[in-house]
């Protein structure tokens, strides 16, 4: 089982991060407030480890401590290093550190990528091992219970469509940097990906059509697609119905703990119904379009119930072309960077945030018009051919885009109490100090017990 | 990779002795950086240093003026602290290797980043 687990993680965690790492190069990441606070509360002169540091957003939060960033993904570590961090490539399951070297450790959005309970325990035990007695460990994992959406299963494969988040406005003329859709970057997507573009860094609540205008560069579509969804659904079935559909378009993985993993990793089944797939994955489905009836059991949703066995689905060529087309939409002007930043991170299903940001974003009319146009096109399968020609340049690794498997990330989302239970029952060397929910994540702060 | 980082490393190769076995450091490219001196910070690091490991690494890098151990009243001794600051934080190995002394397994350091990943054969239970 461990071998299969490693295989699954290789394909749906490590390889994905490695492939998508380049997209994070120019992004400015933001540290989560509570994690930031935890780091800043550490005594000056402390030795801290960020296990699963990604692009290193937490490495420089506290200049009075020495933080070592570690990640399995080489390319992400390279980025962290280019930002001045002290980093290394290693495996959470087998940390190359002596016992009791660190005063504090953070594990933000990492443990949920391990595909078996045993591996999750092992990862936590490894961190406990290298912690000094009295030292603290902070863990963040994605919660199964989300405010407006409930995962049907705990083991999920989340699509991350590169075509939609492909171009970053790194050369943007706007001051500062941000994700194409205006969101602070998440190198580790412990946030639920944006339902629309499945972009891990694109939060629903902060999707904004008013992007910085970047003439001459490939425009980014994430904001547009989110704007359209917002606009449409507000008037019709409501924002979260639409969101719900997009969630249901995520794949569900069979839990590795539940059964033997037969051919899970190798099995791929092409979609029979292209149209259903295209519509449901993107979930930009204004209710007024009868062909995109939100309440209708889409082929894909139905298929999902049988996805116990098949978790891998080929993304049809047409679908991807459509995604590329969306990628070409020009975006509206406007600099909401400040506002977006202020909203900070958070659960994109957070209704308060969403409503707030939905209503206030100006200039949606243009976005709506073109979005509607595209949406109507999508509803008819053969309209795929009439997609505008100004697509983004096709990258050399075209095959990668076509293979959706390459961009699906595995998560084991945690139930309330699960993380605490895991520690209490299996990691007796740790004592839980506090636990709670932070923006859709279960978080825990535990302390290494003193030696007897 | 800084020497402070190296000081925290130990071999994790399966079947190799007790944890805590330091890795043998060899460098083909070393850079000296200018890092802001923070005496309090350095003073707090001192109790955490594994001196044998540090001295051996410093020796391999042919560093000079490396204190052999904490001296009496080191917290206020600026000369001592500055030397430690230099050794721990300013010396950086850009290219080199880390070797497990027992198994001989080598781990590369490239562009300042050590890669400690073991192969699947080496890690599987």
């Amino acid at each position: 089982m461990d071998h299969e687990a490693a295989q699954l993680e290789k394909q749906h965690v490590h390889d994905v991060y490695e492939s998508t790492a380049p997209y994070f190069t120019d992004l400015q990441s933001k540290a989560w407030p509570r994690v930031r606070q935890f780091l800043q509360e550490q005594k000056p002169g402390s030795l801290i480890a960020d296990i699963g540091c990604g692009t290193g957003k937490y490495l420089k939060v506290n200049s009075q401590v020495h933080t070592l960033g570690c990640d399995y993904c080489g390319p992400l570590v390279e980025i962290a290093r280019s930002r001045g961090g002290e980093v290394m490539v290693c495996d959470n399951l087998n940390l190359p550190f002596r016992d009791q070297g660190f005063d504090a450790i953070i594990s933000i959005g990492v443990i949920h990528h391990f595909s078996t309970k045993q591996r999750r325990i092992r990862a936590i035990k490894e961190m406990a091992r290298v912690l000094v007695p009295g030292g603290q460990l902070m863990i963040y994992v994605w919660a199964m219970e989300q405010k407006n959406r409930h995962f049907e299963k705990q083991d999920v494969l989340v699509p991350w469509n590169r075509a939609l988040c492909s171009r970053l406005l790194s050369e943007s003329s706007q001051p500062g940097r941000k994700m194409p859709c205006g969101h602070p970057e998440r190198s580790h997507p412990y946030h639920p990906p944006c339902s629309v573009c499945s972009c891990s860094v694109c939060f629903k609540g902060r999707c904004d059509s008013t992007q910085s205008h970047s003439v001459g560069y490939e425009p980014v579509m994430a904001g547009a697609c989110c704007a359209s969804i917002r606009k449409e659904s507000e008037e019709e079935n409501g924002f979260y119905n639409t969101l719900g559909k997009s969630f249901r378009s995520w794949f569900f993985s069979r839990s590795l703990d539940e059964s033997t993993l037969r051919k899970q990793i190798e099995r791929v089944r092409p979609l029979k119904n292209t149209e259903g797939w295209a519509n449901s994955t993107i979930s930009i489905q204004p209710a007024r379009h009868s062909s995109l009836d939100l309440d209708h059991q889409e082929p894909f949703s139905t298929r999902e119930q049988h996805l116990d066995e098949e978790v891998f689905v080929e993304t049809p060529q047409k679908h991807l072309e459509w995604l590329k087309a969306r990628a070409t939409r020009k975006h509206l002007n406007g600099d909401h960077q400040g506002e977006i930043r202020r909203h900070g991170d958070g659960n994109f299903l957070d209704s308060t945030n969403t409503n707030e940001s939905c209503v206030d974003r100006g200039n949606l009319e243009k976005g709506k018009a073109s979005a509607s146009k595209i949406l109507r096109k999508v509803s008819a399968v053969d309209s795929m051919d009439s997609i505008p020609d100004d697509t983004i340049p096709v990258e050399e690794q075209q095959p990668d885009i076509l293979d959706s498997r390459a961009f699906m990330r595995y998560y084991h989302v945690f139930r309330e109490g699960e993380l605490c239970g895991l520690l209490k029952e299996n990691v007796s060397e740790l004592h839980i100090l506090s636990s709670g929910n932070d923006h859709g994540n279960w978080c825990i702060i535990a302390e290494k017990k003193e030696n007897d | 990779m800084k020497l402070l980082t190296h000081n925290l490393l130990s071999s994790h190769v399966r079947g190799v002795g007790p944890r805590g076995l330091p890795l043998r450091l060899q460098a083909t490219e070393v850079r000296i950086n200018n890092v802001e001196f923070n005496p309090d910070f350095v003073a707090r690091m001192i109790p955490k240093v594994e001196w044998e490991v540090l001295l051996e690494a410093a020796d391999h890098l042919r560093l000079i003026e490396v204190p052999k151990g904490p001296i009496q009243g080191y917290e206020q001794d600026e000369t001592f602290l500055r030397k430690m600051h230099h050794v721990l934080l300013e010396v950086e190995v850009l290219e080199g290797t880390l070797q497990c002394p027992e198994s001989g397994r080598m781990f590369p350091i490239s562009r300042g980043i050590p890669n400690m990943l073991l192969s699947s054969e080496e890690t599987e239970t």
Side-chain angles (χ1 to χ4, degrees):
Chain A
M1 170 112 95
D2 208 51
H3 175 74
E4 285 86 357
Q7 280 282 92
L8 178 66
E9 288 158 23
K10 179 184 188 310
Q11 188 163 9
H12 292 290
V13 178
H14 305 312
D15 287 354
V16 175
Y17 280 119
E18 208 162 301
S19 309
T20 53
Y23 299 114
F24 293 116
T25 321
D26 297 310
L27 294 174
Q28 214 163 49
S29 325
K30 212 167 92 170
W32 273 28
R34 257 157 74 170
V35 181
R36 177 182 276 271
Q37 185 190 351
F38 176 81
L39 292 168
Q40 282 166 345
E41 282 169 359
Q42 299 307 314
K43 287 202 289 254
S46 292
L47 282 172
I48 319 254
D50 180 350
I51 308 293
C53 67
T55 54
K57 62 166 142 308
Y58 294 115
L59 300 182
K60 302 238 156 182
V61 163
N62 185 345
S63 60
Q64 297 300 301
V65 301
H66 182 81
T67 309
L68 181 58
C70 309
D71 202 285
Y72 196 103
C73 176
L76 287 176
V77 170
E78 299 271 356
I79 295 169
R81 167 140 175 91
S82 71
R83 294 179 180 170
E86 175 75 350
V87 289
M88 58 195 293
V89 177
C90 66
D91 186 345
N92 194 161
L93 295 177
N94 211 346
L95 294 174
F97 300 121
R98 52 176 157 100
D99 293 358
Q100 303 182 9
F102 292 98
D103 299 298
I105 296 179
I106 59 172
S107 167
I108 311 301
V110 180
I111 305 291
H112 56 207
H113 280 311
F114 289 107
S115 54
T116 68
K117 184 178 170 187
Q118 283 312 310
R119 287 165 81 86
R120 294 188 280 271
I121 292 169
R122 204 165 126 204
I124 296 171
K125 282 180 96 76
E126 265 293 273
M127 292 190 289
R129 176 182 70 77
V130 303
L131 203 53
V132 300
Q136 291 183 0
L137 165 63
M138 172 182 256
I139 303 177
Y140 263 56
V141 292
W142 201 4
M144 186 178 185
E145 304 86 343
Q146 299 290 333
K147 272 187 193 163
N148 292 290
R149 164 66 193 177
H150 189 81
F151 281 106
E152 282 159 36
K153 288 188 184 176
Q154 286 191 263
D155 296 280
V156 287
L157 286 170
V158 177
W160 182 353
N161 200 303
R162 187 165 79 175
L164 279 178
C165 297
S166 57
R167 280 298 183 260
L168 306 180
L169 297 173
S170 53
E171 298 90 16
S172 167
S173 54
Q174 296 289 335
R177 303 259 173 98
K178 62 186 176 195
M179 267 298 282
C181 37
H183 304 159
E185 178 247 334
R186 298 278 168 270
S187 57
H188 273 312
Y190 43 92
H191 303 279
C194 171
S195 59
V196 181
C197 62
S198 299
C199 167
S200 72
V201 306
C202 186
F203 302 126
K204 208 57 214 71
R206 269 149 290 288
C207 250
D208 192 334
S209 64
T210 58
Q211 303 304 312
S212 47
H213 218 23
S214 179
V215 179
Y217 298 103
E218 292 84 6
V220 185
M221 53 307 317
C225 56
C226 294
S228 65
I229 206 183
R230 181 170 62 238
K231 200 63 183 166
E232 302 290 359
S233 56
E234 265 174 19
E235 301 158 26
E236 299 295 335
N237 274 4
F239 188 71
Y240 297 109
N241 277 350
T242 319
L243 259 190
K245 278 298 177 191
S246 68
F247 264 102
R248 284 194 276 283
S249 77
W250 293 354
F251 298 103
F252 292 108
S253 167
R254 182 190 284 275
S255 163
L256 293 187
D257 291 313
E258 287 165 14
S259 68
T260 55
L261 255 196
R262 288 156 288 154
K263 285 153 260 175
Q264 178 163 341
I265 290 156
E266 287 81 22
R267 201 179 307 198
V268 173
R269 184 169 300 194
L271 276 175
K272 288 163 196 153
N273 188 326
T274 307
E275 177 180 349
W277 161 256
N279 292 339
S280 60
T281 304
I282 304 307
S283 299
I284 303 174
Q285 302 165 13
R288 66 173 76 94
H289 294 269
S290 57
S291 58
L292 303 171
D293 184 3
L294 284 175
D295 296 323
H296 173 64
Q297 186 83 331
E298 291 146 273
F300 185 64
S301 299
T302 312
R303 183 171 304 107
E304 206 179 278
Q305 277 132 36
H306 306 305
L307 270 183
D308 245 11
E309 303 290 310
E310 311 115 30
V311 289
F312 299 89
V313 184
E314 287 287 346
T315 307
Q317 174 74 33
K318 281 183 175 176
H319 168 58
L320 289 160
E321 281 171 7
W322 179 79
L323 294 173
K324 279 194 298 199
R326 292 198 58 78
T328 66
R329 279 200 54 236
K330 294 283 183 254
H331 283 253
L332 303 171
N333 222 335
D335 182 23
H336 284 239
Q337 181 180 358
E339 285 178 75
I340 289 163
R341 281 263 157 83
R342 251 204 318 282
H343 278 300
D345 336 292
N347 185 355
F348 71 84
L349 293 179
D350 184 332
S351 52
T352 1
N353 273 349
T354 308
N355 290 338
E356 203 182 327
S357 55
C358 277
V359 170
D360 294 338
R361 297 290 180 265
N363 225 353
L364 289 176
E365 283 166 21
K366 247 203 227 170
K368 180 191 171 181
S370 19
S372 304
K373 252 193 289 185
I374 289 185
L375 290 169
R376 275 181 217 112
K377 280 185 182 174
V378 169
S379 63
V381 175
D382 47 17
S383 70
M384 296 283 190
D385 302 324
S386 55
I387 280 165
D389 218 8
D390 49 325
T391 54
I392 43 172
V394 174
E395 291 172 33
E396 288 73 15
Q397 284 118 341
Q398 188 61 12
D400 284 350
I401 296 177
L402 295 181
D403 184 355
S404 66
R405 282 183 301 166
F407 300 103
M408 291 201 295
R409 267 165 305 147
Y410 170 85
Y411 288 88
H412 170 86
V413 291
F414 280 70
R415 293 180 186 275
E416 181 168 7
E418 183 182 341
L419 185 59
C420 280
L422 205 65
L423 263 75
K424 281 184 195 145
E425 286 154 35
N426 302 282
V427 193
S428 55
E429 54 268 44
L430 291 176
H431 161 69
I432 298 171
L433 293 178
S434 66
S435 63
N437 188 293
D438 186 13
H439 294 105
N441 298 286
W442 292 117
C443 37
I444 227 174
I445 297 177
E447 190 178 77
K448 173 95 172 265
K449 290 179 184 166
E450 298 288 340
N451 294 326
D452 287 324
Chain B
M1 184 197 71
K2 303 187 183 201
L3 289 189
L4 176 56
T5 302
H6 171 259
N7 205 258
L8 293 161
L9 296 176
S10 83
S11 177
H12 55 317
V13 175
R14 192 164 296 279
V16 165
R19 288 282 193 173
L21 214 54
L23 296 165
R24 190 165 178 271
L25 173 64
Q26 292 288 2
T28 52
E29 195 183 328
V30 176
R31 183 174 70 195
I32 310 293
N33 302 308
N34 267 332
V35 179
E36 197 184 319
F37 176 58
N38 182 334
D40 291 331
F41 178 82
V42 180
R44 281 178 228 265
M45 286 293 160
I46 301 302
K48 301 178 166 109
V49 172
E50 287 281 331
W51 285 91
E52 295 305 318
V53 178
L54 180 68
L55 292 175
E56 195 189 316
D59 189 51
H60 284 164
L61 298 187
R62 305 198 214 290
L63 299 180
I64 56 168
E65 298 213 35
V66 180
K68 301 282 181 261
I71 59 176
Q72 189 85 4
Y74 70 82
E75 295 94 330
Q76 282 78 40
D77 189 326
E78 193 180 312
T79 314
F80 172 85
L81 291 175
R82 278 197 179 270
K83 285 182 185 172
M84 291 307 295
H85 166 80
H86 177 77
V87 170
L88 291 171
L89 301 171
E90 291 190 326
V91 177
E92 190 179 15
V93 178
L94 293 179
E95 301 290 327
T97 57
L98 293 159
Q99 185 174 36
C100 169
E102 203 170 290
S103 68
R105 172 63 152 97
M106 305 274 268
F107 300 93
I109 304 170
S110 319
R111 292 176 299 279
I113 303 170
N115 187 324
M116 308 305 298
L117 292 179
L118 293 164
S119 70
S120 50
E121 293 80 43
E122 287 170 304
T123 51
E124 272 174 25
T125 41

